[in-house]
Amino acid sequence: MSDDTPIATEISYENPDSRNWTPKVRQETKDFLEVVPEESRQNVRDAAVSILSKGVSPQEKTGRETGLVVGYIQSGKTMSFEAVAALARDNAFQVVILIAGISNPLLNQSTDRLCRDLKLDDISRGRFWIQFKNPSNDDATVQTIRDVLDDWKDPETPEKYKKTVLITVLKNHSRLRNLARLFSSFEMQNVPVLLIDDEADQASLNRNIQRDPESTTYRRLMELRQHLPSHTYLQYTATPQAPLLISIIDSLSPNFVQVLEPGSAYAGGREFFSNDLNYIRVIPPQDVPIRRTNRLTEPPESLLEALRVFMVGVTAGFIIDNGTGNRSMLVHPSHLTAQHREFYNWVRNIVEDWKQVLKLPHDDPDKLELIEEFRIAYDDLFRTVGPDFPAFDEFKTFFSLAFRNTRILEVNASSGSTPQVDWRSAYGWILVGGQAMDRGFTVEGLTVTYMPRGIGAGNADTVQQRARFFGYKKSYLGYCRIYLEEGTLNAFQNYVDHEEYIRSQLQDIQRTGRPLNEWKRTFILDPNLSPCRRQVLEFDYIRGLFSHQWVSPRIVLESDSIIQNNRETVNTFLSQINLVDNEGHPDRTDTQCHKVCRDVPLCGVIEQLLLRIRISGTNDSQRNVGLLLQLSKALEENSEESCTIYQMSPHAKRQRGVTDDGEISELFQGAAPVSPIERRGEVYPGDRALHDDNTVSIQIHTLDLMQQGNLVEESVPVIAVWVPERLGIPWIYQDQPVQSR
């Protein structure tokens, strides 16, 4: 882009899911898209337009909007917010701020990539951006930014000379305080700002929500936003549980959502944790380091196996691609730096030992034994790489070269700062570390992950963030291996369904354009995992799992309007199905004789009955949400799912006692006769026995409700649903009171 290129070159988009305005795609966005793989450009561009359109228009003098942008781990979130930043520049945003992680390596990684991809160092393009990293309110910075903002205010300044301020800042309370003080120096009215929070579920949220004072980073972020009267705040994350579960009146609770779709080369949870588990290896319990019960005194065999598999892959890279790009291995043993050092020393000594053995004569027994061990690793990789894998004899002459071009690095902050990885200096890398590589850290060409650590506190978002092995790996997926201990493997397998369910729910919100605070906070989640750390949540959540059991409300004496609605719903539904007498013992009483209709499509029953029945009790409502979630998941798996409907005692009145709070004493009628014990249930097995073991069964009761022998309400419909074991899934539901910001 030359200096005289007019900024007004543009493409207009009709954006059906836009709530506010329509951004224009101009030259800055077009130039950025040149760095995006061609097959992904359309998706990246359209997503950027959709995201920015839901925020505050640059034409508005004041306004604040908060949005959530959800992608997969290592799926291109950085490319997305770069595109949004470029689009913001195209649409006269004067300031773009990126809050780029909690560590300097992440800040540097994001800053360097932004400067490269937005071509800030390309002087042939003109000076369209002015960039600062961790700025403070010193005189030089204040004056420079003030001059830039004055250029925007001056109507005589040509458009091409109006620069956009680009700031990258560490997610640290002191850095954010400096930034807030900096912007307090300016008159920011009529200055549109884009504020991007990368890994927004980390550190930004108020982890002192249950007590005062607010957590420091959260408070500084609030101060910064107060100095920006017109801005859009975008929360980027692959683990949105915490932002979704915080109070909807919190300033950081998002109003809109955008779900990012990865490119076709992406490999995520579905690829790695499908039923065949081609790329997964289980670390046996004896190889898992546990300080008190299983202290390892030597490198475990599974670590040696993983290293051999990795080095065979590195060697293949030299044979096939001449060692271009990178191949990496990640060893993630623990959050403890002492264990990092122990594993680092093991890996370093093993690799050095192998290098010395490879120098031995070809007929040396030690070398022959090592080559044979590499052959076993070769055979393992051959099963997934396929026929393009070079013959093993070619590897023998390249092993030493591969080892000499592989570096081993301990990546943690034990020495005061996390070391940088100079990916250009070597082809192969073995990185040993913990928290420093949990979140946002990009490992170039990662093929082998060795992770003997367990799930720890069991927060789903934390476990998922360790999946650095997800990414754009389709071209070399066959070389990938993930070594996990059993519990972590199970957590990842279960997390896949949880993640896909959240994404589908958020996609529905995005598609309909509804505000995100209208969404019922429901998740499918393994009972061994929590969605996020509880200290950021003002409102707790409940957990449930209906399996091989009846689900029915406890509160049945409702308001007149609810009871009348439920009567009309039930009568309309019953009139649409073909009920017949249910077979049974001839000595049954009228209250033990029912009608039944089998093979009723479950989809229609949910729409015509279960969704229309009103339930007001808090606990009953939460359980009902969980029930509907489970039944909806059953329909996703099988749209032809059917159920059985029972109309209970249509020819006789049933009476049930209720408490002053409207709670029923007992819904289900028992077996008859009761005694003698050997004849119990001979005539009537009891209401609870009336269900099909393998399909959903629904009983429709009509009751006269009694208190102290007096009729208080007649003909009250009550629905009970039998959930078979095969449809049991664990769920979480958070019920937030209706609030306004």
Side-chain angles (χ1 to χ4, degrees), residues 551-576:
V551 183
S552 60
R554 295 183 176 90
I555 305 296
V556 297
L557 183 56
E558 305 272 13
S559 67
D560 291 344
S561 62
I562 289 179
I563 291 174
Q564 183 57 33
N565 171 85
N566 292 348
R567 287 189 188 120
E568 294 172 0
T569 297
V570 165
N571 291 336
T572 300
F573 175 76
L574 291 176
S575 69
Q576 296 172 348

Side-chain angles (χ1 to χ4, degrees), residues 274-300:
S274 59
N275 292 332
D276 52 23
L277 297 177
N278 283 333
Y279 313 105
I280 308 299
R281 301 293 180 266
V282 177
I283 300 174
Q286 65 269 22
D287 288 1
V288 177
I290 303 174
R291 280 186 294 173
R292 292 182 177 86
T293 60
N294 191 39
R295 180 60 188 262
L296 302 180
T297 58
E298 60 183 13

Side-chain angles (χ1 to χ4, degrees), residues 596-663:
V596 65
C597 183
R598 303 186 187 279
D599 298 322
V600 183
L602 180 60
C603 180
V605 174
I606 292 175
E607 293 177 357
Q608 301 302 319
L609 180 64
L610 299 183
L611 285 175
R612 299 187 182 190
I613 288 288
R614 294 174 60 187
I615 297 173
S616 64
T618 300
N619 187 267
D620 288 340
S621 296
Q622 293 173 337
R623 285 163 50 87
N624 191 57
V625 170
L627 171 66
L628 291 172
L629 185 154
Q630 290 191 217
L631 299 183
S632 298
K633 284 295 293 181
L635 286 175
E636 288 179 19
E637 299 294 328
N638 176 18
S639 62
E640 304 299 318
E641 192 80 46
S642 64
C643 65
T644 300
I645 308 295
Y646 293 90
Q647 183 184 14
M648 308 297 288
S649 306
H651 304 301
K653 289 280 190 178
R654 281 190 169 193
Q655 294 183 345
R656 293 291 185 269
V658 293
T659 67
D660 292 340
D661 295 328
E663 185 170 336

Side-chain angles (χ1 to χ4, degrees), residues 130-132 135-149 165 182 185-186:
I130 184 163
Q131 189 258 330
F132 301 88
S136 59
N137 61 333
D138 59 273
D139 288 344
T141 302
V142 169
Q143 189 55 54
T144 301
I145 294 178
R146 179 172 286 124
D147 287 343
V148 170
L149 298 181
V165 176
L182 174 63
S185 305
F186 310 120

Side-chain angles (χ1 to χ4, degrees), residues 40-51:
S40 300
R41 288 176 188 170
Q42 185 74 37
N43 284 342
V44 171
R45 180 178 60 190
D46 291 350
V49 171
S50 178
I51 292 165

